[in-house]
Amino acid sequence: MLALRVRERRIGLGWSQAELGRRAELNRNVINTLERRTSFPRRENVVRIAKALGVAVPHLTNAFVHEDLRRAPAALSITEASGQPNVVLLQIHRRVSTSTAAKVVALLSEDSTEAA
């Protein structure tokens, strides 16, 4: 969703990836990898991109991902699943207690996207 909305808005403004990168004060490669869905930008870069495009972050992505971007520690990586709307790949690299890990596992076991 994020990649598609950024691309659509950028093209609608008649900008190249380099121009959006310049306006967002980011390297063009950040925009390129975002639009190709090979990486998910850091939360501060999503804010920069949204500002450069003249839209709010929730306009570019759904509220769930927006909330994670706003509050997530740097050790969290969220990548859109290619060809699967409303599905993301989540990587967490953070030291947590055993009880927290158990809660995360329980939450993930309730999600039905893995079986789909």
Side-chain angles (χ1 to χ4, degrees):
M1 178 185 293
L2 176 66
L4 179 62
R5 288 186 177 172
V6 167
R7 180 171 160 59
E8 286 175 347
R9 177 75 175 158
R10 176 184 61 77
I11 290 172
L13 292 168
W15 296 350
S16 65
Q17 290 178 344
E19 179 63 17
L20 175 54
R22 186 186 69 74
R23 289 174 183 252
E25 299 178 356
L26 297 169
N27 186 295
R28 180 195 68 83
N29 291 334
V30 173
I31 308 302
N32 183 271
T33 58
L34 162 64
E35 289 187 4
R36 286 187 304 123
R37 298 179 181 160
T38 56
S39 75
F40 196 92
R42 296 184 321 210
R43 61 187 175 270
E44 56 268 13
N45 290 347
V46 173
V47 172
R48 285 179 168 190
I49 292 167
K51 184 176 179 182
L53 292 171
V55 298
V57 172
H59 176 78
L60 297 177
T61 188
N62 63 37
F64 172 77
V65 173
H66 170 64
E67 182 68 15
D68 284 348
L69 288 171
R70 193 169 53 75
R71 297 186 319 163
L76 176 66
S77 169
I78 305 170
T79 307
E80 290 184 11
S82 183
Q84 295 179 311
N86 300 318
V87 176
V88 296
L89 304 174
L90 178 67
Q91 289 181 315
I92 303 170
H93 301 283
R94 184 174 177 189
R95 192 177 301 203
V96 296
S97 69
T98 348
S99 63
T100 299
K103 290 175 189 174
V104 170
V105 169
L107 240 171
L108 291 174
S109 67
E110 294 173 9
D111 192 302
S112 62
T113 59
E114 190 66 34

